[in-house]
Structures are given as C-alpha cells and as structure tokens.
Amino acid sequence: LVNILRVANVEKAAVVRVKGDRLEFDRLIAFPGGAKKFTIRFDTRSKRYWTLSNPAPEGAKDPASMRNRLVLMSSVDLMEWRIERTVVTHPDAEKHAFQYVDWQFEKGDMVVASRTAFDDDEGGASRGHDANFLTFHRVKSFRKTR
C-alpha cells in the first residue's frame, strides 16, 4: 500500500509505504499542487493514475494558498506526474479558487465537485479560501492527453 500525501507549502508530495504494521517515509516527489488537497485514482482503461491539483506558479511565496488554477495530471507510476491540461483558471489568486476537489470517472469523462471562490452579485468571496460556491465541472474526454 502506498499513500501520496500533500506537503506543507512546497510543490512536492510525500510518498509513504506500509511496512508490516507501520508507515515508512519513502521519498518526496515533484508534484505540481502538492501543497494542497488532491485525490488520485487509477484508471483501468488508460492504465494511468489521474488527479486534479492546484499548481502554484514558479517562485510563488506561498504555494499553499495558490488555488486559482485547477489542472488535470496523470502518471504511469505515481512517481512522475505531468500536467495534461488546465481545467479551469482565473488570473486573480487572492479571491478566486477551485479547491478541495473530489471527482469520479464517468465513462469517457471526469465529473468534479469543487469548493469554489468566485465573483457573485454580493462582491464575491472575501479571499480564495473562503469559498462562496460549490461548483460542478465535467472534464470531457479526459484520457485525450497532449
């Protein structure tokens, strides 16, 4: 059993393995969006692992709070990840976010629920983390990679 965990404020993830009756740290891997919550699932059709994450721009001072870009990523081995495409984005990272997403495969698509901070008739969210919407997204034909 392998667990891939977020790591505080860096664009990496921790790999932890079950050894007997305990967990052992294995390594850190490069993982865009690794400072935020993510869910990884294996797809038997593509034989790839898939996730949605919030990568921070290179050089960001606080990568854990950058959630204004949601990307689709895949991996064949859980250790090396590549960004396949941007699913949704907004240029303002302070008051806009697509975060704490969870998702499922649905035929050739991916269906996604997101805690979202976005503009509304009352001035929008006070900050990205203080979401004012729960939004639904569909990533059509997610297996079509670059």
Side-chain angles (χ1 to χ4, degrees):
L1 180 65
V2 175
N3 198 356
I4 312 284
L5 305 167
R6 73 185 210 172
V7 178
N9 226 19
V10 294
E11 295 293 281
K12 295 189 180 293
V15 178
V16 177
R17 297 183 184 272
V18 174
K19 300 279 180 143
D21 62 348
R22 31 187 279 256
L23 292 175
E24 282 188 9
F25 172 78
D26 183 2
R27 67 184 103 166
L28 288 178
I29 57 171
F31 192 95
K36 282 80 67 176
K37 184 239 184 233
F38 53 86
T39 299
I40 298 170
R41 292 194 170 88
F42 183 72
D43 174 43
T44 56
R45 284 183 53 192
S46 65
K47 305 288 189 250
R48 298 183 77 80
Y49 295 93
W50 294 89
T51 193
L52 294 164
S53 72
N54 303 111
E58 205 162 308
K61 291 181 181 178
D62 184 16
S65 65
M66 305 292 293
R67 300 170 185 194
N68 60 312
R69 179 176 172 225
L70 184 66
V71 302
L72 174 68
M73 298 196 315
S74 75
S75 173
V76 295
D77 62 4
L78 289 174
M79 300 299 124
E80 293 185 31
W81 289 87
R82 75 177 185 201
I83 295 175
E84 300 294 350
R85 65 182 118 148
T86 298
V87 173
V88 63
T89 188
H90 191 283
D92 173 37
E94 186 179 327
K95 294 188 175 187
H96 295 81
F98 312 96
Q99 59 200 333
Y100 301 101
V101 299
D102 204 356
W103 57 271
Q104 286 291 332
F105 301 118
E106 185 175 85
K107 298 181 184 171
D109 299 342
M110 185 181 281
V111 289
V112 182
S114 169
R115 193 177 106 178
T116 300
F118 211 80
D119 303 327
D120 63 20
D121 292 341
E122 298 173 10
S126 59
R127 62 186 184 125
H129 192 267
D130 297 339
N132 55 337
F133 290 101
L134 177 62
T135 56
F136 174 82
H137 307 265
R138 180 177 295 275
V139 183
K140 291 186 178 273
S141 304
F142 75 93
R143 293 180 186 96
K144 290 184 181 174
T145 61
R146 54 187 167 115

